[in-house]
Amino acid sequence: MSVDSDDVCINISNDPDLYFADGNLVILTRDHGGNHTYFRVHQSILSKHSKALSDHIFPDSSPSQREIYDGVPLVEFQEDPRDLNIFLKFLYEPFAAPIQKGDPDIAFKMYGALRLADRFSIDPLKETILSYIREDWPQTLQAWDEREAFYSRRLKSSPGSTMDDVAPEPASVIRLARKFEPQVLTLAFYHLSRLPVNATYGQHNQAPRHARGVRGYLLSPADREKVALGRERMLRWTSDRLESLALDTWQCRAEGGCQPHIYWRVVVLHRSIMRNMDVLTTLRTMRSHKQERGTSDVVEDAVCQHCNTRWDTILNETRRDFFDSLSSFFPDL
């Protein structure tokens, strides 16, 4: 059904999942376009799950003062219909997952429902959503590497998809984490720092499939400043670390003439970090073992086994220390 109001067509509809004929309460919501969606639900179900929700819907007012819709009391929520649909479905089916586990866009799709769960103290729904977020943003280097590998496998097995289709988008995660899960902010900002300033979510045109985008409209000017400062700190840390290792004066204990090759690796390492701004991935792909390196800029060289072992140890330790230092690159989040 639709009506015209001041030359604007407004759609009016009942929610297809949550409009029960025997419900004794109707909830009205409006989307950003002003379209009306009605939910007909059971007062007992809502009251059972949350006293805060019951108090919000049933304040101390006379029933005669309530507006009536379809023969039952009507209340209005200032929420998006999609968010309210997710929230109410959970109240009716608390053992059903509110969204498919592994959906890469959980932080964006579930933000409104999470706000409702927090507002009305529906802790099981809140914890379920946040557990999905934590899984995407692990707090150890090993788990981070495993997650990155998981996204790469998912992309490879999804022809026609881009990385935005299989991996989380950082701006929506930052918006959610700042209010509900601050422990993942550092990694979300690190991921954001790896992306081009003009990377736009879902709009890669001729970019490679592995390119990732950002919902830039969710970022504040302060967020963008933190990313820029974080990049500067990371590059400075990396340069200082490599300089302190004195790799340009490498000594091959086997006297195999490895120094020129190690020097070239350092040059490529610097160049790659400056080009892709992804320190963790660059350090991982620059290790000497071909099966670990993947598609690296490093050519096959004549470095002896002993020097390769030393090189890998240095890069592994640098990666670990860099990961442990992430919070210093993005303070005051």
Side-chain angles (χ1 to χ4, degrees), residues 69-116:
Y69 179 88
D70 202 8
V72 298
L74 172 73
V75 295
E76 183 170 351
F77 270 37
Q78 304 299 321
E79 304 291 340
D80 186 277
R82 292 168 295 185
D83 298 333
L84 191 60
N85 175 283
I86 295 171
F87 177 73
L88 292 175
K89 273 186 176 179
F90 186 84
L91 301 186
Y92 274 87
E93 302 176 11
F95 298 106
I99 192 172
Q100 182 178 356
K101 186 176 183 180
D103 188 318
D105 214 18
I106 284 177
F108 183 76
K109 294 177 180 177
M110 299 298 289
Y111 180 68
L114 180 58
R115 287 174 56 248
L116 284 166

Side-chain angles (χ1 to χ4, degrees), residues 119-162:
R119 178 183 177 187
F120 296 118
S121 302
I122 309 297
D123 292 337
L125 174 58
K126 181 177 177 180
E127 179 55 31
T128 297
I129 297 171
L130 292 180
S131 70
Y132 293 168
I133 300 297
R134 295 186 200 109
E135 187 173 353
D136 280 335
W137 301 91
Q139 299 299 301
T140 67
L141 179 57
Q142 179 179 346
W144 172 264
D145 287 341
E146 291 171 354
R147 205 64 187 165
E148 291 280 276
F150 169 72
Y151 298 138
S152 296
R153 292 194 303 271
R154 180 186 275 181
L155 179 65
K156 187 176 181 179
S157 64
S158 305
S161 298
T162 67

Side-chain angles (χ1 to χ4, degrees), residues 150-202:
F150 169 72
Y151 298 138
S152 296
R153 292 194 303 271
R154 180 186 275 181
L155 179 65
K156 187 176 181 179
S157 64
S158 305
S161 298
T162 67
M163 192 60 89
D164 282 345
D165 300 316
V166 301
E169 180 276 319
S172 56
V173 174
I174 288 170
R175 177 182 65 169
L176 180 149
R178 183 160 276 133
K179 186 174 179 61
F180 299 109
E181 193 68 17
Q183 72 178 35
V184 307
L185 278 171
T186 297
L187 279 170
F189 269 91
Y190 169 67
H191 171 49
L192 183 60
S193 74
R194 303 187 295 176
L195 306 182
V197 174
N198 62 347
T200 302
Y201 180 81

Side-chain angles (χ1 to χ4, degrees), residues 22 37 46 61 72 78 114 117 127 188 205 210 219 233 251 266 271 315 322:
D22 62 343
T37 300
L46 274 58
S61 60
V72 298
Q78 304 299 321
L114 180 58
E127 179 55 31
N205 298 324
H210 62 264
L219 297 172
R233 295 184 184 109
Q251 296 294 319
V266 175
R271 184 181 67 190
L315 264 58
F322 178 88

Side-chain angles (χ1 to χ4, degrees), residues 230-296:
R231 286 195 186 105
E232 290 183 13
R233 295 184 184 109
M234 287 189 294
L235 292 177
R236 190 177 301 115
W237 185 97
T238 305
S239 295
D240 291 345
R241 177 60 175 257
L242 294 178
E243 184 176 351
S244 71
L245 293 171
L247 298 177
D248 55 339
T249 59
W250 185 278
Q251 296 294 319
C252 176
R253 298 176 184 175
E255 298 184 359
C258 296
Q259 194 276 338
H261 301 292
I262 295 296
Y263 180 82
W264 176 243
R265 289 185 182 184
V266 175
V267 171
V268 174
L269 180 61
H270 272 289
R271 184 181 67 190
S272 299
I273 290 174
M274 291 298 296
R275 184 172 59 198
N276 59 37
M277 303 301 295
D278 189 349
V279 178
L280 287 174
T281 298
T282 301
L283 290 171
R284 175 175 56 80
T285 58
M286 289 285 293
R287 291 181 298 199
S288 64
H289 301 297
K290 186 175 182 180
Q291 65 270 26
E292 295 180 349
R293 189 168 70 232
T295 56
S296 169

